[in-house]
Amino acid sequence: MEAALWSAIALIAALSMGTLYLLVSRLDGIAARIDGLSSRIDAQGVSLSARIDAQGASFDARLESLAATMEARFNRVDDRFDRVDDRFDRLEQRLDAHLGRHAG
């Protein structure tokens, strides 16, 4: 009876060790797959970062171009206002001269 008990204990121990070995090997396989996926994700992150940087540079260039265009347009509007101001100044001088002739 004692030999059968020790045999059962040895059998259970062997099965436990075999199960533990199987679980460890499966976990190692899963860890290897996760490492592979991690490297793929890192590579995609680098690619995505490069694309975002390129789009940022493109956006900056477009924004600079737009700013230059707007600056040129504002300068043209300022020139037009300056011409209108000059015309009003001449008109004011003419009115002052006219009033000076009649009032004075």
Side-chain angles (χ1 to χ4, degrees):
M1 176 84 170
E2 189 175 326
L5 183 61
W6 281 110
S7 295
I9 290 173
L11 183 62
I12 290 173
L15 288 173
S16 296
M17 292 301 284
T19 303
L20 183 62
Y21 178 76
L22 177 66
L23 287 175
V24 168
S25 66
R26 290 184 102 187
L27 285 174
D28 285 342
I30 290 172
R33 286 180 56 199
I34 288 173
D35 289 342
L37 291 174
S38 176
S39 64
R40 281 182 52 201
I41 288 171
D42 290 343
Q44 287 180 348
V46 169
S47 172
L48 183 61
S49 178
R51 287 175 49 200
I52 288 171
D53 289 343
Q55 286 182 348
S58 172
F59 179 72
D60 288 345
R62 289 175 58 194
L63 192 59
E64 290 295 325
S65 173
L66 181 61
T69 301
M70 293 302 295
E71 183 68 26
R73 288 182 178 183
F74 285 138
N75 287 338
R76 283 197 312 250
V77 169
D78 286 343
D79 291 342
R80 287 180 177 177
F81 276 120
D82 289 342
R83 283 185 292 203
V84 169
D85 282 343
D86 289 342
R87 288 177 67 189
F88 277 130
D89 288 342
R90 287 190 305 241
L91 183 61
E92 181 183 12
Q93 289 172 358
R94 288 176 57 196
L95 284 172
D96 286 343
H98 181 77
L99 289 175
R101 281 194 306 258
H102 292 289

